[in-house]
């Protein structure tokens, strides 16, 4: 049977605030266990929560950036469940009146744009962390009460790759907004993926499973691909899909059943009587909207218009806020944006990825001015592109200017005609057969001869000149 895949995501974003959602405790990551706690986040009787204003403002910022309608009426509910990482035995969340609803996010995949609808986004607090040792389970309440925004999509995603694109796009927006560090490994961004399959053509949705415990975007993609195959096998062999929560096991590359899914009524939701509902006036919301920065999509469009970048190049450059900033910094000092872009998307990104360096560090490693100075040397034929590729990691490692490295290592390009002519004469003399091949019309032969000259000059010969001189010497011989 042929199936199609349906995926909906619940993404939890930890918002960057100094203090927790409803108390004054610090949200600092990595502090000694249970040092950032107080009667409120520990759920002591008689303590009272107070909403952190920055939590609300950051949440509205995100909601507007993903084109949601922001509710003027703010209300919090208690979601009950019993687990050792939750000292109050309920989580403050929003149930029937979420902060935001009816948004969307456009994703780009294989040159196509697809709109993913966002059902809702609501504010809630995080639980603590359990640490399991061979002899005991320990609990750390430092994270308890940290502000989260949960962003829930409609079941509009149809593949693991689309899901990956959605997460990448969402992360990119959150980074532009400066509301979260989006570090999935630290848990600042967590994603539960709901997935079902149905025979092609069927209208009703299939039974879904909910996947948890993925700690990278790649993990989400792998877990979904695994789970889709598992569901297909299940249906093909005549077994039903059970609605359940399944955990992704990164080491085994498999999902395992954790529990059958609870229903909303199991949570005994009710309005939190300690947090009085209130209204946010539209002016406040509009002021937050005015304050939104340029977002990746808009930046992409601007880069294509202002710098004549291709759609693809502009998308890559604008996807990472810091790469985009770097590009524009460099383009201010040097007027061949395409040349900058090629370097950014080629050797520089390669260098960052290989060394696992985030783009925010680039401006310190290789100030834009140093890059453009090197590009100018290429333009002036002082060095070849090949030499530039070779010395660019050295510029980063030593902090020296390209020109200094070239001088030290005697790398400047040989553009001296007489010097090149004598080397080429030598190469021609040593390669009779290849020269004959070239005369009989084989273009490859020329490439070989150029290669030989490059070898003798350790890559320093000016390739255009080498080409011209070889042709000239052969034709006049
Ligand atoms: P639950 O009550 O189980 O939490 P929700 O209706 O709140 O389910 O939906 C949670 C997420 O699951 C949403 O992102 C939604 O789009 C997605 N979803 C709902 N039904 C399906 C389905 N049959 N297949 C895939 N995803 C689904
Ligand atoms: Mg739900
Ligand atoms: Zn506290």
């Amino acid at each position: 049977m042929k199936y199609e895949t349906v995926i909906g995501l619940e993404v939890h974003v930890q918002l960057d605030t100094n203090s927790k959602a409803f108390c004054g405790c610090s949200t600092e990551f990595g502090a000694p266990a249970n040092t950032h706690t107080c009667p409120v986040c520990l759920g002591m009787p008689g303590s009272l929560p107070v909403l952190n204003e920055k939590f609300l403002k950051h949440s509205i910022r995100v909601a507007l950036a993903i084109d949601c309608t922001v509710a003027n009426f703010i209300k919090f509910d208690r979601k009950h469940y019993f687990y050792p990482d939750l000292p109050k035995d309920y989580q403050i969340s929003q149930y029937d009146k979420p902060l935001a609803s009816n948004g969307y996010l456009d994703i780009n995949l294989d040159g196509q744009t697809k709109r993913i609808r966002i059902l809702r986004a609501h504010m809630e607090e995080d639980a603590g962390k359990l640490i399991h040792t061979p002899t005991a389970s320990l609990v750390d309440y430092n994270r308890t009460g940290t502000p989260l925004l949960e962003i829930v999509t409609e079941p509009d995603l149809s593949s693991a790759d689309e899901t990956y694109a959605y997460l990448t796009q969402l992360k990119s927006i959150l980074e532009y907004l400066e509301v979260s560090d989006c570090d999935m490994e630290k848990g600042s961004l967590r994603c539960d993926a709901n997935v079902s399959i149905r025979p092609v053509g069927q209208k009703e949705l299939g039974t879904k499973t909910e996947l948890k415990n993925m700690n990278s975007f790649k993990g989400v993609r792998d877990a979904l691909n695994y789970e889709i195959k598992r569901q297909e096998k299940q249906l093909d062999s005549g077994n039903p899909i059970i609605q359940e929560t399944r955990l992704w096991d990164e080491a085994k590359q498999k999902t395992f059943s954790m529990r059958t899914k609870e229903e909303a009524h199991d949570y005994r939701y009710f309005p939190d009587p300690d947090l009085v509902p209130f209204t946010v006036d539209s002016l406040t919301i509009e002021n937050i909207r005015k304050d939104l920065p340029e977002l990746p999509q808009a930046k992409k469009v601007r880069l294509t218009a202002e710098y004549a970048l291709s759609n693809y190049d502009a998308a890559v450059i604008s996807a990472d806020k810091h790469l985009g900033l770097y590009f524009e910094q460099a383009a201010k000092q040097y007027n061949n944006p395409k040349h900058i872009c090629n370097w950014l998307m080629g050797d520089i990104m390669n260098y960052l990825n290989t060394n696992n360096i985030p783009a925010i560090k680039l401006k310190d490693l290789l100030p834009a001015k140093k890059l453009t100075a090197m590009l100018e040397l290429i333009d002036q034929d002082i060095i070849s592109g090949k030499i530039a590729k070779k010395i660019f990691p050295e510029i980063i490692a030593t902090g020296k200017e390209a020109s200094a490295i070239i001088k030290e290592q005697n790398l400047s390009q040989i553009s001296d005609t007489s010097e090149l002519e004598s080397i080429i004469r030598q190469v021609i003399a040593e390669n009779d057969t290849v020269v004959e091949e070239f005369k009989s019309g084989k273009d490859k032969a020329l490439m070989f001869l150029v290669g030989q000259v490059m070898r003798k000059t350790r890559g320093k010969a000016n390739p255009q000149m080498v080409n011209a001189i070889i042709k000239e010497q052969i034709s006049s011989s």
Side-chain angles (χ1 to χ4, degrees):
M1 180 105 63
K2 219 165 149 31
Y3 301 104
E4 63 185 10
T5 303
V6 175
I7 299 166
L9 294 183
E10 296 162 286
V11 173
H12 290 87
V13 183
Q14 190 181 310
L15 297 175
D16 244 334
T17 57
N18 296 324
S19 54
K20 293 185 180 180
F22 301 103
C23 65
C25 291
S26 165
T27 53
E28 182 201 0
F29 183 81
N34 297 306
T35 52
H36 292 326
T37 54
C38 75
V40 175
C41 54
L42 291 177
M44 301 291 187
S47 64
L48 285 173
V50 177
L51 175 63
N52 179 336
E53 187 182 353
K54 198 164 172 195
F55 176 21
L56 178 66
K57 289 200 161 147
H58 274 0
S59 300
I60 294 176
R61 222 166 132 77
V62 178
L64 293 172
I66 51 179
D67 281 278
C68 284
T69 305
V70 176
N72 292 101
F73 181 75
I74 308 290
K75 160 183 182 266
F76 290 96
D77 300 282
R78 292 183 176 182
K79 176 180 179 177
H80 297 82
Y81 63 95
F82 182 77
Y83 207 63
D85 65 5
L86 190 70
K88 297 196 296 288
D89 290 338
Y90 65 83
Q91 174 192 29
I92 302 175
S93 183
Q94 294 188 300
Y95 182 51
D96 56 337
K97 300 272 181 210
L99 172 76
S101 52
N102 294 320
Y104 65 82
L105 198 151
D106 288 335
I107 59 168
N108 294 300
L109 195 67
D110 304 328
Q112 306 268 60
T113 301
K114 179 170 172 182
R115 180 153 292 186
I116 308 302
R117 291 169 301 156
I118 288 159
L119 179 67
R120 58 184 275 156
H122 63 260
M123 303 163 71
E124 60 185 32
E125 57 173 348
D126 209 346
K129 235 184 247 169
L130 289 179
I131 302 138
H132 302 284
T133 74
T135 49
S137 285
L138 307 170
V139 67
D140 178 2
Y141 290 127
N142 282 350
R143 200 180 67 185
T144 309
T146 299
L148 299 179
L149 186 70
E150 177 172 342
I151 303 169
V152 185
T153 73
E154 295 279 1
D156 285 353
L157 295 154
S158 339
S159 70
D161 285 341
E162 279 185 20
T163 305
Y164 189 92
Y166 171 87
L167 289 170
T168 309
Q169 180 70 6
L170 179 62
K171 181 178 175 198
S172 168
I173 292 173
L174 293 168
E175 280 175 347
Y176 269 70
L177 293 172
E178 294 180 340
V179 291
S180 171
D181 70 10
C182 295
D183 188 337
M184 242 184 131
E185 271 160 30
K186 276 200 317 199
S188 316
L189 199 71
R190 272 167 274 161
C191 168
D192 301 340
N194 299 270
V195 55
S196 64
I197 58 171
R198 62 182 169 192
V200 172
Q202 178 182 307
K203 260 204 128 91
E204 311 84 74
L205 294 175
T207 303
K208 71 177 162 79
T209 58
E210 182 180 8
L211 310 183
K212 285 182 185 281
N213 201 38
M214 295 82 78
N215 58 14
S216 65
F217 289 177
K218 186 177 168 298
V220 175
R221 185 168 61 191
D222 292 344
L224 281 167
N225 279 328
Y226 171 85
E227 180 63 13
I228 293 162
K229 285 222 180 68
R230 188 193 69 85
Q231 291 190 10
E232 284 173 0
K233 272 191 214 145
Q234 197 73 4
L235 291 187
D236 280 340
S237 57
N239 296 311
I241 306 295
I242 298 161
Q243 180 162 337
E244 61 186 354
T245 301
R246 299 179 67 87
L247 288 189
W248 172 242
D249 186 325
E250 177 74 34
K252 297 202 173 78
Q253 293 281 302
K254 284 183 172 154
T255 63
F256 292 94
S257 176
M258 178 173 90
R259 54 163 190 251
T260 55
K261 176 82 187 165
E262 52 289 277
E263 303 284 339
H265 63 246
D266 293 330
Y267 289 125
R268 306 281 190 278
Y269 279 104
F270 71 77
D272 192 322
D274 289 342
L275 287 158
V276 188
F278 62 98
T279 54
V280 182
D281 60 274
S282 302
L283 186 65
T284 305
I285 296 172
E286 285 319 305
N287 281 337
I288 296 174
R289 192 194 300 278
K290 274 195 211 125
D291 204 38
L292 289 179
E294 180 183 39
L295 293 172
Q297 188 70 23
K299 178 146 186 171
K300 180 186 124 182
V301 172
R302 188 170 61 76
L303 291 185
T304 54
E306 234 169 83
Y307 300 97
L309 298 187
S310 73
N311 255 325
Y312 178 78
D313 291 357
V316 176
I317 297 286
S318 58
D320 188 306
K321 174 180 177 153
H322 300 288
L323 205 59
L325 286 172
Y326 186 90
F327 168 79
E328 290 207 274
Q329 184 66 35
K332 255 191 236 151
Q333 302 157 357
Y334 173 78
N335 70 1
N336 184 348
K338 179 66 187 160
H339 200 189
I340 300 170
C341 184
N342 288 347
W343 269 84
L344 276 180
M345 290 172 58
D347 286 69
I348 293 178
M349 261 172 124
N350 206 351
Y351 181 90
L352 295 178
N353 289 339
T354 322
N355 296 291
N356 210 4
I357 298 168
I360 190 172
K361 295 259 171 69
L362 180 59
K363 62 179 189 316
D364 304 323
L365 287 175
L366 179 69
K369 190 83 207 135
K370 281 207 177 109
L371 173 68
T372 56
M374 183 187 81
L375 299 183
E376 275 161 11
L377 295 177
I378 303 175
D379 292 344
Q380 294 157 10
D381 279 338
I382 294 172
I383 53 171
S384 62
K386 216 168 175 179
I387 295 286
K389 281 172 191 287
K390 211 168 88 182
I391 63 169
F392 127 86
E394 283 179 60
I395 301 177
I396 294 180
T398 62
K400 288 181 186 164
E401 291 288 340
S403 52
I405 296 175
I406 290 158
K407 207 174 258 160
E408 277 169 24
Q409 305 183 14
N410 185 24
L411 290 173
S412 49
Q413 187 155 253
I414 306 171
S415 299
D416 173 16
T417 319
S418 61
E419 192 177 349
L420 286 176
E421 278 174 351
S422 88
I423 296 167
I424 290 169
R425 216 167 289 127
Q426 210 181 331
V427 167
I428 288 179
E430 287 166 2
N431 292 284
D432 293 350
T433 37
V434 186
V435 170
E436 286 313 312
E437 279 173 23
F438 175 67
K439 282 183 177 163
S440 66
K442 277 200 188 139
D443 286 346
K444 266 216 178 118
L446 178 62
M447 272 160 62
F448 176 83
L449 295 172
V450 173
Q452 293 303 305
V453 177
M454 285 300 175
R455 213 154 135 202
K456 279 198 196 295
T457 58
R458 291 189 300 126
K460 293 191 299 183
N462 176 329
Q464 281 88 25
M465 288 180 70
V466 172
N467 256 289
I469 298 171
I470 291 177
K471 283 186 193 160
E472 191 188 295
Q473 289 194 4
I474 291 179
S475 68
S476 66
S477 69

